[in-house]
Amino acid sequence: CEEPFPKTIEAFAAAYAEAIAAAVPSGPINLAGWSLGGAIALETARELTAAGREVQQVWLLDTRLPHKGAAPPSEAEEICNLLADAAAQLGAALPETLAAEIASEAELRRCLPELLAAAGLPPAALRQAERLIEAYRATSAALAGYRPKRYDGEVSLIVARDQAGGPAMLDPHSSWEQSCPQLTVHESAGDHRTLLTGERAAAVAKLIDSANT
């Protein structure tokens, strides 16, 4: 039986903090998260600190907060991009024009079986794709309602250098500087989707390793 996704960033973080405390019962902890995962990492650090654990560093990997009142990006387009990335990790490819051809999430769900079959993915991939869509909806709603409180620990933000940032999302630096007084900002090559791919991922890992040594 699949459990429902948490409804808030804080609820996601509480689950992660419990799992981390069980897996790493002692010693200092470093946390990192890409995109929305950065917000979860920050709140997980808050949970662990409140429980008496030492959190040395939190890394926000191109984590941006929604701009209040701005039009959000197309859900269908965002979900298509997620599905394309997931398929690529399995060695499959969805049509490059998928996002332009799908006008709504409902239409995407109707087309999913045919799309996955055309990509050479097994029938079992359908439920995985549906679960990915559910995760996207849950995390998007959680992020929309998230307002970070002050966190006094060390926080490093890595900004994707090649992305201008759309009107629906705040500049990542200004998103965090008020709530994270010990914020350090770095830049790395790539845009939001490619920051953690190939050589770009290696550069991010090197930056994190160098800061933690």
Side-chain angles (χ1 to χ4, degrees), residues 9-149:
I9 295 296
E10 291 82 359
F12 274 101
Y16 275 105
E18 182 179 355
I20 291 170
V24 187
S26 62
I29 295 171
N30 290 283
L31 299 170
W34 170 76
S35 193
L36 170 139
I40 296 175
L42 184 69
E43 293 305 320
T44 300
R46 195 189 309 279
E47 290 271 344
L48 291 168
T49 301
R53 298 298 302 274
E54 178 190 358
V55 177
Q56 291 183 324
Q57 188 86 12
V58 179
W59 288 86
L60 311 178
L61 308 182
D62 208 48
T63 299
R64 302 163 186 257
L65 297 177
H67 191 291
K68 187 176 181 180
S74 161
E75 281 193 353
E77 180 178 356
E78 292 289 304
I79 292 171
C80 286
N81 288 335
L82 283 173
L83 290 175
D85 289 344
Q89 293 176 20
L90 296 174
L94 295 180
E96 293 184 1
T97 58
L98 180 61
E101 296 171 352
I102 301 295
S104 67
E105 181 188 328
E107 183 179 354
L108 176 62
R109 284 182 179 273
R110 287 196 300 271
C111 296
L112 262 181
E114 181 181 348
L115 288 169
L116 297 177
L121 294 171
L126 177 59
R127 181 54 195 147
Q128 293 176 318
E130 291 174 339
R131 187 69 170 163
L132 185 61
I133 294 173
E134 292 168 8
Y136 168 78
R137 291 191 64 82
T139 54
S140 294
L143 185 62
Y146 176 58
R147 300 294 181 270
K149 300 180 179 66

